[in-house]
Amino acid sequence: MQATPWTGQTALVVGAGASGSAAAALLLALGARVRVYDQRPAASLPAGAEAFLGEPTVQGAALAGIDLMVLSPGVPPSPFRAAQQRLAPHARVHGEMSLSLAVAAHRWGRLPTVLITGTNGKSTVTALTGALLTAAGRRPFVGGNLGVPLAAAVLAAIADDTPAPDSLVLECSSFQLETLTDDPATARTRATWP
């Protein structure tokens, strides 16, 4: 694989659930050195990731020298951002979704994106939006917190060199929105419930 902006970077992924593991695997495939922190001592990690597991809080060694910190969707950002500010203030902070959007944009250009969040109805609105776009002849990726994490889909497309989707429909947690940047090609929708 050719060099990317993530090649040679040292990244800390916080949270080793489905999205965090997918982000770690994506970063490894892009040539980054990857560390993963999770409170669970037996968290499953992708091959090649350095483990920082089983501690109640992220330790300084996990943050030492990082260029990038990636937060998983269910991780409250505040304590990890505070630790990053103290121990690695130069490091960029992404969520799994914002990292995946950046990689997708680097690979395919910016895609029209719909982000859906809210208390109730997110999955329904996400699936419906994807179905409407498909019925209109588009090829959307529909996922995020619904089904496949975006990092896993981007990694699969890169690995298989499959065609890119022409749009993204993503279910998001409120924590994920905190790490996203504004983009004119992105629409944010809050699922509402009567």
Side-chain angles (χ1 to χ4, degrees), residues 78-178:
S78 298
F80 297 100
R81 282 183 181 263
Q84 173 265 329
Q85 286 295 318
R86 280 191 329 275
L87 301 169
H90 65 282
R92 297 177 319 278
V93 178
H94 273 288
E96 172 268 330
M97 191 169 288
S98 65
L99 169 70
S100 303
L101 287 167
V103 174
H106 177 76
R107 177 81 177 187
W108 303 308
R110 297 226 180 259
L111 300 174
T113 303
V114 180
L115 305 172
I116 299 166
T117 192
T119 305
N120 294 308
K122 293 184 298 292
S123 298
T124 301
V125 173
T126 302
L128 177 62
T129 303
L132 290 169
L133 288 171
T134 300
R138 308 253 350 188
R139 295 180 330 277
F141 167 77
V142 180
N145 284 352
L146 169 71
V148 177
L150 183 57
V154 172
L155 177 58
I158 290 171
D160 297 341
D161 203 28
T162 57
D166 64 4
S167 53
L168 304 170
V169 181
L170 305 170
E171 179 181 312
C172 309
S173 74
S174 60
F175 294 144
Q176 287 170 306
L177 294 177
E178 290 185 32

Side-chain angles (χ1 to χ4, degrees), residues 10-121:
T10 299
L12 171 64
V13 176
V14 178
S19 292
S21 291
L26 177 59
L27 285 163
L28 286 164
L30 294 170
R33 293 177 299 275
V34 178
R35 302 170 184 167
V36 178
Y37 163 77
D38 197 288
Q39 291 179 344
R40 298 172 297 151
S44 178
L45 306 180
E50 183 180 358
F52 289 85
L53 304 176
E55 296 293 332
T57 59
V58 67
Q59 303 300 300
L63 288 156
I66 64 168
D67 303 296
L68 171 68
M69 182 171 70
V70 179
L71 303 173
S72 294
V75 171
S78 298
F80 297 100
R81 282 183 181 263
Q84 173 265 329
Q85 286 295 318
R86 280 191 329 275
L87 301 169
H90 65 282
R92 297 177 319 278
V93 178
H94 273 288
E96 172 268 330
M97 191 169 288
S98 65
L99 169 70
S100 303
L101 287 167
V103 174
H106 177 76
R107 177 81 177 187
W108 303 308
R110 297 226 180 259
L111 300 174
T113 303
V114 180
L115 305 172
I116 299 166
T117 192
T119 305
N120 294 308

